[in-house]
């Protein structure tokens, strides 16, 4: 079991001290870490390991670099942006940088690369997390990312097996079903085959029903999918890790009972139960099931895989992250990924900046939008925040429409489109700057349109630099 340690703005990680003690007493394999100052994460992983007499695995979702989670570390563009460059050298270096900085804060297991193929434009949760819509391209870059991560001694994890790219629903919220036949699903499996050939350490399962593979339950709970396909057919011998155990997809598959889901996942062949939300009750249920009927070999196989992975991972907690050359390289890559989708004639020094933020809401705050305005000023512009465009000044309309688990669908809301249309009606030459996947631009008005893949700080900075270059600055 791998419980979560989540940073709290007021209390840091101190709130988890008792949780860590209980988890270590029960013999957990490690933890998944969310958020925090890089220095605080470094202290957390270091001190927690000293409290334990066996090596622990500390994992984290770092699809967009260590800076995705840890403040002070280097952010990277979304994988779709990197995939648009189709440079294996860039992908490999991005993975090495991510792994090196993860190791710097004591993270030795990265839950990346996302190995889903972006096959369904209506997918509410994959989108820019995938390298792209071509199975061959995704496979190439998944393999390159895996090898780059391994070169720094950090474990990698391909997700979400056998592929989350076809769903029109989000497994955080529901249990999706995929009706595609087995022949079609070969496209989804191609990146996972490449990951296995590259020596991937772990594969994360999807809380999705694949009707042609096992129409009775989610992949995470399917003996047929985990053992017959992943283990026997694809010959994968590494760690099989569940997606988050508190997600509605797996709960829906088990009548809402997380303990039942945990037992079913182990029986199906999973080695790691990730992010249980009711740790003690799930642990008690597992103990009882082990005494009652869970085969001893099934348990010892998983324990041995976790132990071997923890011993193989290099945990040096070097204390190095966010170094200037790495930040400069990452930002340069980000600028290269920005795309002009319609004519762009540049901007004068002063202009109105209208922000249309479709990412406000949900359980977690949106990223600050200050990096965009700060970088614009660094580049010599004088943006003026405005609620609407004015006919006597040039205008930029910054549209934020990232993938968010709570949204339930990709795209841009009708209210946001109406605000954009209002700006274009006043200033037909307004520059529409889309911080989202370029394909979401189709319904947007305006003759000048630029896409910057996502609203994280690095893409805000990259967009400002791109605009400066396009304006001759």
């Amino acid at each position: 079991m791998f419980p979560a340690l989540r940073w709290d703005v007021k209390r840091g990680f101190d709130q988890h001290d008792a949780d860590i003690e209980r988890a270590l007493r029960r013999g957990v394999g490690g933890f998944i870490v969310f958020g925090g100052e890089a220095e605080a994460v470094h202290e957390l992983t270091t001190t927690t390991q000293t409290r334990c007499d066996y090596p622990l695995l500390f994992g984290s979702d770092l699809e967009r670099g260590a800076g995705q989670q840890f403040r002070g570390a280097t952010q990277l563009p979304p994988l779709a942006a990197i995939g648009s460059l189709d440079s294996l050298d860039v992908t490999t270096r991005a993975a090495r940088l991510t792994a090196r900085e993860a190791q710097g804060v004591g993270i030795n297991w990265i839950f990346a690369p996302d190995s889903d193929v972006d096959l369904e434009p209506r997918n509410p949760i994959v989108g820019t997390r995938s390298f792209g819509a071509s199975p061959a391209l995704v496979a190439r870059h998944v393999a390159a990312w895996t090898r780059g991560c391994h070169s720094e001694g950090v474990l990698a994890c391909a997700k979400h097996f056998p592929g989350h790219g076809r769903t029109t629903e989000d497994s955080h919220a529901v249990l999706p079903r995929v009706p595609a036949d087995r022949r079609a699903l070969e496209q989804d499996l191609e990146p996972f085959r490449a990951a296995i050939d590259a020596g991937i350490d772990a594969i994360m399962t999807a809380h999705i029903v694949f009707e042609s593979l096992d129409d009775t339950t989610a992949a995470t709970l399917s003996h047929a999918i985990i053992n017959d396909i992943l283990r026997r057919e694809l010959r994968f011998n590494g760690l099989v890790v569940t997606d988050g155990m508190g997600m509605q997809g797996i709960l829906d598959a088990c009548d809402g009972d997380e303990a039942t889901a945990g037992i079913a996942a182990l029986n199906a062949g999973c080695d790691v139960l990730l992010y249980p939300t009711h740790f003690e009750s799930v642990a008690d249920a597992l103990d009882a099931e082990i005494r009652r009927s869970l085969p001893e070999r099934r348990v010892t196989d998983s324990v041995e895989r976790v132990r071997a992975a923890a011993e193989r991972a290099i945990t040096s907690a070097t204390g190095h992250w966010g170094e200037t050359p790495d930040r400069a390289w990452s930002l340069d890559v980000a600028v290269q990924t920005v795309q002009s989708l319609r004519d762009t004639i540049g901007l004068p020094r002063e202009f109105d900046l209208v922000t249309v933020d479709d990412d406000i809401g949900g359980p977690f705050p949106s990223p600050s939008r200050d990096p965009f305005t700060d970088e614009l000023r660094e580049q010599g512009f004088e943006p003026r925040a405005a609620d609407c465009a004015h006919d006597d000044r040039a205008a930029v309309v910054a549209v934020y429409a990232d993938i968010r688990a709570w949204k339930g669908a990709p795209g841009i809301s009708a209210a946001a489109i109406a605000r954009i249309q209002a700006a274009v009606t006043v200033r037909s030459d307004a520059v529409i700057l889309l911080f989202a996947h370029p394909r979401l631009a189709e319904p947007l008005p305006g003759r000048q349109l630029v896409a910057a893949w996502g609203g994280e700080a690095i893409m805000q900075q990259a967009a400002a630099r791109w605009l400066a270059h396009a304006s001759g600055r």
Side-chain angles (χ1 to χ4, degrees):
M1 295 181 71
F2 282 65
L5 304 176
R6 189 179 289 277
W7 171 264
D8 180 83
V9 174
K10 295 181 179 179
R11 295 180 291 168
F13 292 113
D14 291 345
Q15 61 176 329
H16 289 299
D17 199 57
D19 298 331
I20 292 170
E21 187 60 37
R22 283 193 295 270
L24 294 178
R25 195 164 55 244
R26 300 296 290 259
V28 297
F31 300 89
I32 178 171
V33 184
F34 292 97
E37 302 285 348
E39 186 61 52
V41 177
H42 179 266
E43 182 179 358
L44 170 74
T45 57
T46 303
T47 57
T48 301
Q49 182 60 75
T50 63
R51 297 163 67 176
C52 188
D53 59 4
Y54 57 89
L56 293 167
L57 287 171
F58 293 94
S60 192
D61 291 316
L62 306 181
E63 297 169 19
R64 303 191 302 276
Q68 174 183 343
Q69 294 284 348
F70 312 130
R71 193 171 304 158
T74 304
Q75 287 189 356
L76 286 164
L79 293 186
I82 291 175
S84 73
L85 301 177
D86 198 12
S87 166
L88 296 184
D89 288 341
V90 169
T91 296
T92 301
R93 185 167 173 179
R96 293 190 65 180
L97 172 56
T98 301
R100 191 168 68 248
E101 293 199 352
Q103 195 179 87
V105 300
I107 298 295
N108 53 11
W109 188 9
I110 298 174
F111 299 124
D114 188 298
S115 304
D116 303 313
V117 184
D118 186 23
L119 295 166
E120 172 53 74
R122 295 172 297 166
N123 193 304
I125 196 61
V126 175
T128 56
R129 298 172 65 192
S130 165
F131 279 112
S134 160
L137 180 145
V138 175
R140 289 197 305 274
H141 288 272
V142 163
W145 202 101
T146 300
R147 294 188 181 102
C149 183
H150 287 170
S151 71
E152 300 294 332
V154 177
L155 307 185
C157 178
K159 58 187 185 185
H160 308 80
F161 186 83
H164 208 318
R166 293 180 184 272
T167 64
T168 56
E169 296 176 308
D170 177 7
S171 55
H172 289 87
V174 297
L175 176 61
R177 299 184 72 91
V178 171
D181 62 29
R182 174 60 197 268
R183 184 175 180 180
L185 291 177
E186 282 301 314
Q187 296 180 84
D188 309 59
L189 292 176
E190 188 173 342
F192 292 98
R193 293 182 189 275
I196 293 168
D197 288 344
I200 196 83
D201 308 279
I203 290 180
M204 182 182 291
T205 58
H207 300 331
I208 300 169
V209 177
F210 294 86
E211 295 176 356
S212 65
L213 306 180
D214 183 348
D215 66 358
T216 65
T217 193
T220 300
L221 310 178
S222 171
H223 188 277
I225 291 174
I226 294 174
N227 286 278
D228 296 345
I229 297 176
L230 182 55
R231 292 292 190 202
R232 295 195 183 99
E233 182 182 330
L234 273 61
R235 300 176 184 271
F236 177 65
N237 296 315
L239 284 171
V240 177
V241 52
T242 72
D243 206 344
M245 291 299 296
M247 292 168 59
Q248 198 61 45
I250 194 169
L251 295 177
D252 283 353
C254 293
D255 297 322
D257 191 298
E258 191 176 345
T260 299
I263 292 168
L266 283 179
N267 271 314
C270 292
D271 301 304
V272 171
L273 306 183
L274 187 65
Y275 195 179
T277 57
H278 298 92
F279 170 74
E280 292 282 6
S281 62
V282 176
D284 289 343
L286 291 179
D287 285 344
E289 187 69 15
I290 289 168
R291 289 192 299 268
R292 182 168 55 246
S293 63
L294 196 62
E296 182 178 351
R297 179 66 182 272
R298 173 77 280 279
V299 178
T300 56
D301 281 352
S302 290
V303 170
E304 175 56 27
R305 288 193 188 102
V306 173
R307 182 200 61 78
E311 291 183 350
R312 186 169 68 251
I314 298 175
T315 310
S316 56
T318 62
H320 297 296
W321 56 78
E323 296 183 352
T324 299
D326 293 328
R327 289 176 181 272
W329 175 80
S330 182
L331 183 53
D332 180 62
V333 169
V335 173
Q336 293 177 51
T337 70
V338 177
Q339 297 182 4
S340 175
L341 304 182
R342 299 173 196 161
D343 290 343
T344 305
I345 59 176
L347 288 166
R349 180 170 174 270
E350 298 181 357
F351 55 83
D352 287 331
L353 175 59
V354 180
T355 299
V356 179
D357 202 330
D358 244 8
D359 295 340
I360 296 174
F364 306 111
S366 301
S368 168
R369 306 314 184 191
D370 291 342
F372 183 46
T373 53
D374 292 345
E375 187 65 32
L376 284 171
R377 293 189 177 97
E378 282 287 322
Q379 298 301 320
F381 291 114
E382 289 292 340
R384 183 178 70 181
D387 291 331
C388 58
H390 298 86
D391 59 10
D392 60 343
R393 288 170 67 93
V396 170
V397 183
V399 183
Y400 295 90
D402 260 329
I403 286 287
R404 291 286 184 268
W406 53 268
K407 286 185 177 181
I412 303 169
S413 69
I417 293 176
R419 286 195 64 197
I420 300 165
Q421 182 62 64
V424 171
T425 299
V426 174
R427 291 285 308 203
S428 62
D429 62 348
V431 176
I432 312 303
L433 179 53
L434 177 62
F435 290 103
H437 199 295
R439 67 169 169 241
L440 298 185
E442 185 177 355
L444 300 184
R447 69 173 190 255
Q448 296 193 84
L449 202 152
V450 179
W453 296 99
E456 51 271 274
I458 189 171
M459 297 313 301
Q460 294 180 47
Q461 292 175 287
R465 292 198 176 193
W466 190 95
L467 288 172
H469 178 76
S471 304
R473 292 183 175 274

